[in-house]
Amino acid sequence: MQLTLFSDLSLRVITLMAMGESGRKYTAAEVAESLNASRAHVSKVVSRLVELDFLDAVKGRNGGIYLRESATEKSVGKLLRTLENNEVVDCVGTDCPLLPTCLLRGKLAAAQEAFFAALDPVLIADLIPLKSANGADVNRPEGGGPQGSTQLNIRPV
């Protein structure tokens, strides 16, 4: 299954912020720059993640975006199920002659749900590389996160 750009960017925003210092303030502009994404698109993603209680946003001169403490304990599958709220194939309103007897739509919906269900036990924390005592990345056990990491250059605000 291919995720929408919105869902992909949502996961990347959360992961980026979770990899940073706890309680660190970000701006949409620096997140967009770090992820090579459009600032406007990142702003829309941030707004939705605030609605879903993954992020807090403070407006004003000293404002910024903060990762909620509870965000890393939330399910990736549940998040994607919420963000990917559309069907794999949308037959309603089409002139498809197969519509009255077609079984494909139901099979694709079941496959999509199986995809989300496979990610339900995966937490945001499982996407974050562990750090050793010397600050080096440590690989997670089987099924738990990436093998290695990407160096991110983010300036504090």
Side-chain angles (χ1 to χ4, degrees), residues 25-43:
K25 175 175 69 171
Y26 295 84
T27 66
E30 72 177 318
V31 169
E33 184 178 323
S34 296
L35 296 175
N36 298 317
S38 153
R39 182 177 176 186
H41 204 110
V42 167
S43 294

Side-chain angles (χ1 to χ4, degrees), residues 47-122:
S47 293
R48 183 68 172 130
L49 293 174
V50 167
E51 290 173 13
L52 296 174
D53 295 327
F54 280 84
L55 305 179
D56 281 322
V58 178
K59 294 183 180 185
R61 182 176 174 179
N62 294 317
I65 308 162
Y66 301 87
L67 184 70
R68 285 187 163 216
E69 287 184 26
S70 61
T72 58
E73 299 308 313
K74 294 189 179 193
S75 165
V76 172
K78 186 175 180 181
L79 173 61
L80 291 177
R81 192 178 282 108
T82 302
L83 295 175
E84 297 280 331
N85 59 2
N86 54 346
E87 294 185 60
V88 176
V89 66
D90 186 10
C91 304
V92 178
T94 67
D95 292 333
C96 180
L98 303 174
L99 189 57
T101 59
C102 183
L103 301 176
L104 178 62
R105 184 175 177 195
K107 301 293 184 190
L108 290 175
Q112 182 182 37
E113 181 52 34
F115 174 79
F116 296 141
L119 292 171
D120 280 341
V122 179

